[in-house]
Amino acid sequence: MRMVDLIIKKREGHALTREEIAFWIDGYVNGVIPDYQVSAMNMAILFKGMTEEEVINLTDLMEHSGETLDLSNLRGVKVDKHSTGGVGDKTSLVLGPMVAACGATFAKLSGRGLGHTGGTLDKLESIPGLTIQVNGDRFINQVNKIGIAIAGQTQSLVPADKKMYALRDVTGTVESIPLIAASVMSKKLAAGTDAILLDVTLGNGAFMKDINQARILAKLMVKIGNGLKRDTRAVLSNMDEPLGLAVGNALEVKEAIAALHGEGPEDLMELCYIAGAIMLEQAHICKDYEHGRKMLEECIKDGSAFNKFLEMVEAQGGDVSYILHPEKFAVAKNIVPIYAKEEGYVKAIDALEIGLSSMTLGGGRETLDDVIDMAAGIMLNKKVGDYVKEGEVLCYLHSNKNVTLINRVAKNVADSFKICKGFVEKPKVVLEVIQ
Ligand code: URA
């Protein structure tokens, strides 16, 4: 078999057999097939697509390209959650402790942020002392003891995705439904939980820009997961504006702490209640969705969700005084307000531009080697549907960079807010549930 023939076959729109996909994935992981051929294959897939059978084979072969986790020593139904990426998406930091406080077993492996999207691991690492290297027995023991761990993926888990995702990121091939489905599901399946809740983000800050595409992706992933006997469900969530008000690592952790006290922004709270109630159903902890939602509201009110977050931070070596006193988090030297130039309703906030601007201010990384400034980011003061007066603050830029750079970013951020005279309704955060 030759890789070039497989690329041509896909370029001509034909389906690859399991043996052919295995030849490609094994050869790539073993260093026999070079990046440039895999780039060409990914581009052919982006244009020509894959059949469901091809995606299932690709997912399975990627999942088994390295080690898989055995969570059979963990008690209860193990639940996991995965978002396809967004701006200001700190959901796991709130949702994980919430469902764990209600008795679910939340065993999650997370990733780092790249480009305009943030990553849960980076956010967690803004808590001094906290480690995300919770591997093997330590992971199992922590989850058995307190019901929750959020750890970094080890290098040996799904090596095919590690190589391929980095390559897709620099070759314009991230936005392919079969490739996203195989990438996400291979990692979720290798991580070994019984149930998976997928948050498929949709809008200009997400990889899926259109609801039909997001629905196709969600249905495909749900089918792959259920086909392999994992209870898999999905929500389609709005990423046309950032989620919540905070974008940037320490800023988002502070917002997550507020949310765990019941004081988070409306859209973040709603997403956590809806996704959480579905997860409690998946974990067989509640009678139905309404019951699950009540349990979650209760765990916020009685402080048990916040206490669960404290327990997790402590178990992972973090300094809990930051969680008890969030004002201790380092604050950026420059906090620059962006003012509204006109009065009216906020019609749109370009999530992609806000994510890219936060990255330029120091809050994200362009390449995996970049060092993040945990204090940097953007705090929104207005969301879509809010009324704003001329001269009111739309958002604040937080940065330790020089003033010239901040001024350049300020212009882009100001332009990312669209204001109109007519009434604008607040958008729903969860657009659809797929199960
Ligand atoms: N998230 C992933 O894990 N993989 C993708 O391909 C896209 C988003």
Side-chain angles (χ1 to χ4, degrees):
M1 220 180 274
R2 293 191 320 156
M3 186 63 185
V4 63
D5 297 326
L6 304 189
I7 297 168
I8 293 168
K9 186 172 176 186
K10 181 46 71 187
R11 189 193 70 194
E12 298 306 311
H14 302 296
L16 302 175
T17 64
R18 185 177 171 92
E19 289 64 38
E20 288 168 337
I21 298 173
F23 174 82
W24 153 32
I25 297 299
D26 291 349
Y28 188 44
V29 172
N30 296 329
V32 179
I33 295 174
D35 277 350
Y36 55 82
Q37 285 192 310
V38 177
S39 306
M41 175 61 92
N42 286 339
M43 192 58 88
I45 292 172
L46 188 127
F47 283 115
K48 296 293 177 175
M50 278 184 138
T51 65
E52 229 167 72
E53 191 184 342
E54 282 180 290
V55 183
I56 291 170
N57 281 327
L58 178 61
T59 307
D60 187 42
L61 290 159
M62 284 174 67
E63 179 197 344
H64 293 102
S65 64
E67 280 174 20
T68 55
L69 278 193
D70 176 5
L71 300 184
S72 53
N73 285 335
L74 281 181
R75 283 190 293 271
V77 180
K78 280 76 75 180
V79 293
D80 190 0
K81 172 253 163 198
H82 187 91
S83 151
T84 52
V87 180
D89 185 356
K90 69 285 293 173
T91 316
S92 295
L93 301 181
V94 186
L95 184 56
M98 283 169 75
V99 296
C102 293
T105 303
F106 188 75
K108 176 159 174 60
L109 299 182
S110 277
R112 297 206 176 272
L114 196 60
H116 74 281
T117 65
T120 302
L121 295 185
D122 300 318
K123 292 169 201 181
L124 276 173
E125 280 180 345
S126 67
I127 303 168
L130 187 138
T131 181
I132 48 85
Q133 273 154 6
V134 188
N135 302 329
D137 285 348
R138 181 170 173 190
F139 186 79
I140 302 284
N141 292 340
Q142 180 178 323
V143 181
N144 266 336
K145 191 161 165 224
I146 64 169
I148 180 169
I150 304 181
Q153 267 174 57
T154 57
Q155 284 305 318
S156 48
L157 214 76
V158 199
D161 184 62
K162 281 203 182 66
K163 277 188 91 169
M164 200 130 88
Y165 194 82
L167 189 64
R168 285 169 57 213
D169 197 51
V170 292
T171 54
T173 51
V174 171
E175 291 91 344
S176 147
I177 289 177
L179 294 179
I180 296 178
S183 161
V184 170
M185 291 310 290
S186 60
K187 284 180 290 206
K188 293 296 101 182
L189 294 167
T193 57
D194 307 303
I196 301 159
L197 190 271
L198 301 163
D199 177 3
V200 177
T201 50
L202 139 76
N204 89 334
F207 295 127
M208 294 292 109
K209 312 289 181 206
D210 145 314
I211 189 147
N212 293 322
Q213 299 294 94
R215 201 180 282 129
I216 293 170
L217 173 63
K219 285 188 172 166
L220 180 57
M221 294 194 290
V222 165
K223 190 162 186 185
I224 296 170
N226 287 330
L228 291 163
K229 309 247 170 320
R230 315 287 177 94
D231 178 341
T232 308
R233 309 185 196 186
V235 295
L236 303 188
S237 74
N238 178 31
M239 194 41 75
D240 258 335
E241 65 175 333
L243 181 67
L245 298 169
V247 179
N249 296 283
L251 295 172
E252 291 191 46
V253 170
K254 286 197 265 186
E255 184 164 273
I257 295 169
L260 287 163
H261 286 304
E263 288 151 14
E266 222 175 291
D267 57 348
L268 173 63
M269 298 306 293
E270 185 62 8
L271 177 57
C272 290
Y273 286 132
I274 295 177
I278 298 171
M279 289 170 79
L280 293 186
E281 279 191 292
Q282 291 178 288
H284 311 302
I285 283 176
C286 59
K287 288 197 298 275
D288 53 25
Y289 173 84
E290 290 307 325
H291 178 215
R293 190 164 171 134
K294 281 214 173 65
M295 289 175 74
L296 292 162
E297 284 168 1
E298 199 46 44
C299 81
I300 291 288
K301 267 197 217 115
D302 69 13
S304 54
F306 173 73
N307 288 337
K308 193 51 77 180
F309 186 61
L310 269 184
E311 279 182 77
M312 183 185 87
V313 169
E314 188 166 28
Q316 295 186 206
D319 183 344
V320 292
S321 70
Y322 282 75
I323 312 305
L324 294 166
H325 304 285
E327 66 280 3
K328 282 185 76 173
F329 279 96
V331 174
K333 261 195 334 255
N334 304 302
I335 299 181
V336 178
I338 305 291
Y339 299 106
K341 292 195 200 87
E342 55 188 318
E343 180 169 297
Y345 285 91
V346 179
K347 187 172 170 214
I349 305 172
D350 184 331
L352 175 60
E353 187 52 55
I354 296 285
L356 290 171
S357 296
S358 169
M359 178 181 81
T360 311
L361 292 170
R365 55 168 83 75
E366 251 169 281
T367 74
L368 272 174
D369 302 325
D370 288 350
V371 176
I372 291 183
D373 176 355
M374 294 298 182
I378 297 175
M379 257 333 271
L380 303 183
N381 195 42
K382 296 286 173 186
K383 295 270 289 178
V384 171
D386 284 345
Y387 192 73
V388 57
K389 294 204 191 99
E390 189 185 333
E392 249 193 294
V393 175
L394 294 171
C395 67
Y396 294 91
L397 311 185
H398 290 236
S399 185
N400 290 308
K401 301 258 182 189
N402 62 62
V403 176
T404 318
L405 180 141
I406 297 175
N407 286 342
R408 183 161 50 80
V409 172
K411 162 138 192 15
N412 294 340
V413 170
D415 290 346
S416 68
F417 281 79
K418 298 285 172 262
I419 293 170
C420 69
K421 294 285 171 231
F423 174 75
V424 175
E425 211 168 316
K426 284 204 164 285
K428 273 166 66 173
V429 65
V430 172
L431 305 164
E432 235 167 81
V433 177
I434 290 169
Q435 41 198 3

